[in-house]
Amino acid sequence: MVVVLVTIVLVAVAIYASVLFFQRSFEERITKAKSSIEEILDSPLEEELAEVKKMTLSGDSLSGFEAVEHSYYALVNQQLPEISEHLNKLQAELEHYRFWKINGELKQNEARSAKAKQQYEQLKLELAEIEQTAEIHKKAIGELKEEYQKIRKTLLAKNFSYGPSIDELEKELATLEKDFDEYSKVTEEGDYAKSSELLEKLKQQTRLLKIALKKLPPIYRNLKNIFPEQLQELKAGYSKLQTEKYGFKKDLAKHLEAIEQKCKENEANLKQADVPKAEALDQQIADMIDEAYDIMENEYNARLKVTRQEKHLADFIEHAKHQEKELLIELDRLSQNYTLNHNEMEEAHALNEQLKKIAKRFTAYMQAKSKDVIIYSEVLNQQTADLEALKKIEFKQKELGESVADLFEEEKEAQAAVQGFDNDIHRLKREIEILNLPGLPNDYIEYFFKVGREIESLDQDLNKIQIDMEQIARDLINTQSDLDVLAQKTQEIIDSSTLTEAMLQYSNRYRTRYPEVASAYAHAVELFNKNYDYMGALDVISEALETVEPGCYKRIENDYKAGNNRREVI
């Protein structure tokens, strides 16, 4: 029973607490919504509307203001009172605890309050914009008026600086003042929407007129003073250079005429006060004048350089021709005794032809410079190229001369080498003959004679009327290699035959006791005396002796290498 009572009490407390919570929560929301409405009603916007209404407005500006005013009063006199009255009813119904009904209606009123607040803020912005626009145009009238006075003062004080542009500039200023009067009138009437369009137009016109006032005087000064002086100077310079036989890549007479025509065209642009065209053509004229100066200066400087290097080029040509003559004589002399394998003569003749062309061009220039019109920049370019070509010719002449200068020394060295080969092959022959062998292997004999023929062929080649030193150099290398092989083969025969005789002599102590040694002895003697196979004979007798006395061959070989005579071998 107690538990039931406690439960009932707890439930009652919970219900009471919930009621209090919802009541307080809704009360706070209603109060907040009312505060938002009061904030709008207490705002100074109505006073601002009254102040703006005192202003003279017309046209779209007046329509805009009336729309703002109508919307404001509709808001404060109709929408806000309705929302406020509904909120009072909801607050009264809180006493009856109709929370679910109150919640739905309160949400609708909160949304209407938020929308009203948003509408109010938008009206504030629109009204502020009307006030700001009015202020901008009032300020603009003063500023523009001041600008026009400055422009008029400038035109009056400096009309001589504008030349043919002055009439058009004054016309534009008059148009500007007329448009300004219309703008002032529309602004005074309060049609700020239309004034804004006129203001942008006036600002653009003023900006363009100020640019013209700034840019036209220097263009007129160029056309009146600078360009004529420069043209007069260019014509005088051109006439003087013509009398001095200067030539030009470009027709300067036509170029100067074109500049004069461009000046006339720009006079028309100035008369129209067409700043973009006048400015562009002014730059074009300046560039054309600079080009004319550059052309004449370039030819003048080119002539100075050409004149300064005349003697140097003449001396260089003569020196190269002398060198070429000496080279051709030397090559011709050497070609009678030696074969020239690298087109030395052809290259030398090609250099000679190149020299002739350079000399011919230089001679033609020297003959023409006193009587013909000459484009010195072209002459300078050609002579610069010729000087570079002469450097390369001299280098090639030196290279060709050095490539054949050592042929005689190479011939002497080759003769000494062949004589050395002959001495070496005779020495090898004597070394073999001293051994008094029964004969020599066929392959050795063939190789010996092959090397002999090579040495003989080299000797014959060196005694020809015209020697091919390049081929001889290759043959020397091959013959030296073959001679080295022959020396190796000869040494092998000497070593193997001498050691075989020593081993045969040493085998006498074992022949009677060891039949295999006796058999090997007989076989070795046959190979030695009949087949001349000294290596084979040494292998046979050595192998037999090693079976009865291991190490004997190595000992006898060491004694031989140490210089012992085979007669001392026991």
Side-chain angles (χ1 to χ4, degrees), residues 504 515-526 537 540-545:
L504 288 172
E516 63 273 22
V517 174
S519 176
Y521 179 90
H523 187 200
V525 168
E526 183 180 4
V540 169
I541 192 64
S542 298
E543 186 179 348
L545 285 173

Side-chain angles (χ1 to χ4, degrees), residues 381-392:
N381 290 338
Q382 184 60 63
Q383 290 188 357
T384 301
D386 287 344
L387 281 169
E388 190 61 32
L390 285 168
K391 292 177 185 177
K392 293 179 180 178

Side-chain angles (χ1 to χ4, degrees), residues 246-400:
Y246 278 86
F248 302 94
K249 296 177 184 177
K250 189 167 188 173
D251 189 337
L252 273 180
K254 286 187 177 180
H255 186 75
L256 296 177
E257 287 177 7
I259 294 173
E260 290 181 328
Q261 183 60 37
K262 294 292 182 185
C263 289
K264 291 178 182 178
E265 289 178 19
N266 224 21
E267 284 183 13
N269 291 331
L270 287 178
K271 191 172 183 180
Q272 296 297 322
D274 192 333
V275 175
K277 286 185 178 180
E279 193 173 28
L281 194 52
D282 178 74
Q283 184 61 53
Q284 186 181 354
I285 293 168
D287 290 343
M288 291 174 72
I289 288 174
D290 288 343
E291 184 185 357
Y293 276 116
D294 289 343
I295 290 170
M296 288 193 280
E297 186 178 1
N298 186 45
E299 292 302 325
Y300 180 79
N301 291 332
R303 183 172 185 171
L304 291 177
K305 292 177 182 178
V306 167
T307 303
R308 280 199 299 265
Q309 71 183 15
E310 280 177 6
K311 187 176 185 309
H312 171 62
L313 183 55
D315 292 344
F316 206 155
I317 291 171
E318 288 305 312
H319 180 263
K321 286 166 70 175
H322 175 73
Q323 292 290 97
E324 182 65 18
K325 181 179 178 181
E326 293 294 321
L327 176 63
L328 288 171
I329 291 171
E330 180 63 11
L331 288 175
D332 184 62
R333 183 185 67 81
L334 290 171
S335 66
Q336 295 174 22
N337 298 316
Y338 301 99
T339 302
L340 303 179
N341 296 297
H342 298 287
N343 300 318
E344 289 88 351
M345 287 297 295
E346 290 81 354
E347 288 190 21
H349 283 297
L351 293 178
N352 193 43
E353 288 301 314
Q354 196 175 352
L355 267 174
K356 286 180 180 178
K357 289 179 181 178
I358 293 172
K360 184 178 180 181
R361 279 196 293 267
F362 182 71
T363 301
Y365 157 71
M366 293 299 289
Q367 292 173 349
K369 72 172 188 174
S370 60
K371 56 182 180 179
D372 295 334
V373 172
I374 295 176
I375 301 175
Y376 284 95
S377 59
E378 292 180 350
V379 173
L380 179 61
N381 290 338
Q382 184 60 63
Q383 290 188 357
T384 301
D386 287 344
L387 281 169
E388 190 61 32
L390 285 168
K391 292 177 185 177
K392 293 179 180 178
I393 288 170
E394 283 211 333
F395 177 80
K396 190 62 180 176
Q397 287 172 338
K398 183 180 178 183
E399 189 179 60
L400 285 172

Side-chain angles (χ1 to χ4, degrees), residues 495 499 553-564:
D495 292 341
L499 283 172
Y553 172 75
K554 193 65 179 176
R555 178 171 55 80
I556 293 170
E557 183 185 37
N558 289 339
D559 289 343
Y560 169 71
K561 288 180 179 179
N564 293 329

Side-chain angles (χ1 to χ4, degrees), residues 96-303:
H96 304 291
Y97 311 114
R98 299 173 182 173
F99 298 130
W100 298 112
K101 180 183 177 184
I102 291 171
N103 184 49
E105 293 182 5
L106 183 55
K107 283 183 179 180
Q108 292 178 0
N109 276 275
E110 285 174 333
R112 291 177 67 191
S113 296
K115 186 176 180 181
K117 178 70 173 175
Q118 184 179 4
Q119 186 178 356
Y120 167 74
E121 294 296 335
Q122 181 62 33
L123 291 172
K124 274 179 66 177
L125 288 174
E126 291 176 6
L127 187 61
E129 186 176 345
I130 292 172
E131 292 178 298
Q132 186 179 10
T133 301
E135 188 62 32
I136 287 171
H137 288 293
K138 286 179 182 179
K139 185 179 178 182
I141 288 174
E143 291 176 348
L144 287 172
K145 191 171 184 179
E146 185 178 350
E147 288 285 349
Y148 301 152
Q149 288 173 350
K150 288 180 180 179
I151 292 172
R152 185 184 292 105
K153 184 178 179 181
T154 300
L155 284 176
L156 288 172
K158 300 180 180 180
N159 60 348
F160 59 87
S161 299
Y162 298 99
S165 303
I166 189 67
D167 292 340
E168 182 64 24
L169 292 174
E170 289 178 347
K171 181 179 177 182
E172 289 181 7
L173 179 61
T175 301
L176 197 61
E177 289 177 338
K178 180 181 178 183
D179 291 343
F180 175 72
D181 290 341
E182 183 185 357
Y183 167 69
S184 299
K185 181 180 178 182
V186 171
T187 301
E188 287 173 4
E189 291 174 353
D191 191 352
Y192 298 117
K194 185 177 180 180
S195 293
S196 295
E197 296 177 7
L198 293 173
L199 179 59
E200 289 304 314
K201 179 182 176 182
L202 283 170
K203 284 182 177 180
Q204 178 67 4
Q205 289 174 311
T206 304
R207 185 181 69 82
L208 293 175
L209 187 54
K210 286 174 72 177
I211 290 173
L213 292 178
K214 180 181 179 182
K215 291 190 173 183
L216 289 175
I219 296 174
Y220 176 63
R221 178 174 176 271
N222 284 342
L223 206 60
K224 184 71 175 176
N225 299 329
I226 306 299
F227 294 160
E229 290 176 5
Q230 290 176 331
L231 274 169
Q232 186 178 357
E233 185 179 34
L234 285 169
K235 287 178 180 179
Y238 176 57
S239 178
K240 185 174 185 299
L241 293 177
Q242 276 187 311
T243 61
E244 294 176 2
K245 302 296 184 180
Y246 278 86
F248 302 94
K249 296 177 184 177
K250 189 167 188 173
D251 189 337
L252 273 180
K254 286 187 177 180
H255 186 75
L256 296 177
E257 287 177 7
I259 294 173
E260 290 181 328
Q261 183 60 37
K262 294 292 182 185
C263 289
K264 291 178 182 178
E265 289 178 19
N266 224 21
E267 284 183 13
N269 291 331
L270 287 178
K271 191 172 183 180
Q272 296 297 322
D274 192 333
V275 175
K277 286 185 178 180
E279 193 173 28
L281 194 52
D282 178 74
Q283 184 61 53
Q284 186 181 354
I285 293 168
D287 290 343
M288 291 174 72
I289 288 174
D290 288 343
E291 184 185 357
Y293 276 116
D294 289 343
I295 290 170
M296 288 193 280
E297 186 178 1
N298 186 45
E299 292 302 325
Y300 180 79
N301 291 332
R303 183 172 185 171

